[in-house]
């Protein structure tokens, strides 16, 4: 199985800050990498697919980059509604696997 | 718009089975792969398996092989996930998710609201 490792596991930031989350795969997954946002008690929401494609309706302050084994999710200017937990997920091969999550908290 | 509506919470005794449903609307059900993913309390996500409704073909994660059965009823646009031999560590929220089209297979575009399954004696 492909292991997905996210860092950091949590971070504190203020509204307006630039935030970067990293996701590493245990083997190359090309660009088969997706990012989700989960708010407490809710189902996840797809933000970025294929490493860098913005899902319809998602604000442009979210950007994804990377390929191979290293990927990043960047929020250019953190908004109050962005405080949540973020997960990466590989769709390269089954079993599909997720990173452990990054909780973005208010500083 | 696409909606996935799941059945309600369940409390089950260890050793029993649970069957969760996921009713789709807003698009052609049989065209898209449905996956099941679970999230234990305070934990991350674990992919369980998937079904291609139009063919009825399934693919299960090794961790659940032999315990999980995923089916689909095209006539009602509903997918089902049955997990048997329940243990206390199967306590989790179970989600169905619709995958993207061919190039985005394995991408979970739409999610159900989740179903809490509690394994308790």
């Amino acid at each position: 199985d492909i292991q997905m490792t996210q860092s950091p596991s949590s971070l504190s930031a203020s509204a307006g800050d630039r935030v970067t989350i990293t996701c590493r795969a245990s083997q190359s997954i090309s660009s088969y990498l997706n990012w989700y946002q989960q708010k407490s008690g809710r189902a996840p929401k797809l933000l970025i697919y294929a490493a860098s494609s913005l899902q319809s309706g998602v604000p442009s302050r979210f950007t994804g980059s990377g390929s191979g084994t290293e990927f990043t999710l960047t929020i250019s200017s953190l908004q109050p509604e962005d405080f949540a937990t973020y997960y990466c997920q590989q769709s390269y091969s089954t079993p599909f696997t997720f990173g452990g999550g990054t909780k973005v908290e208010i500083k | 718009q696409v909606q996935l509506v799941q059945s309600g919470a369940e409390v089950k005794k260890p050793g029993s089975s649970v069957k969760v449903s996921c009713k789709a609307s807003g698009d052609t059900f049989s065209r898209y792969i449905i996956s099941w993913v679970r999230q234990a309390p305070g934990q991350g996500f674990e992919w369980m398996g998937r079904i291609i409704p139009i063919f009825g073909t399934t693919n299960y994660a090794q961790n659940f092989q032999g315990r999980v059965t995923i089916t689909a009823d095209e006539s009602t646009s509903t997918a089902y996930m049955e997990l048997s031999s329940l243990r206390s560590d199967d306590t989790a929220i179970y989600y169905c998710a619709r995958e993207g089209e061919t190039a985005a297979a394995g991408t979970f575009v739409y999610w159900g609201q989740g179903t809490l399954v509690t394994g308790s004696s």
Side-chain angles (χ1 to χ4, degrees), chain A residues 1 32 34 36 38 41-46 48-50 55 87 89-91 94-100, chain B residues 35 37 39 43-47 50 59 61 63 95 99 103-114:
Chain A
D1 298 1
Y32 292 91
N34 309 303
Y36 301 87
Q38 187 182 35
R42 305 290 299 273
K45 172 187 173 182
L46 177 66
I48 301 284
Y49 64 95
Q55 173 66 2
Y87 295 90
Q89 175 247 333
Q90 63 83 15
S91 51
T94 60
F96 303 127
T97 48
F98 293 79
Chain B
S35 268
V37 177
Q39 184 177 34
Q43 303 298 310
F45 295 96
E46 187 174 21
W47 180 78
R50 70 207 294 218
N59 180 5
N63 287 349
Y95 293 99
E99 298 185 21
T107 299
F108 307 122
V109 182
Y110 300 101
W111 293 70
Q113 83 275 20

Side-chain angles (χ1 to χ4, degrees), chain A residues 64-87:
Chain A
S65 64
S67 67
T69 62
E70 189 150 338
F71 303 86
T72 58
L73 172 69
T74 299
I75 310 172
S76 60
S77 177
L78 201 63
Q79 298 300 300
E81 60 268 29
D82 300 337
F83 292 96
T85 303
Y86 294 84
Y87 295 90

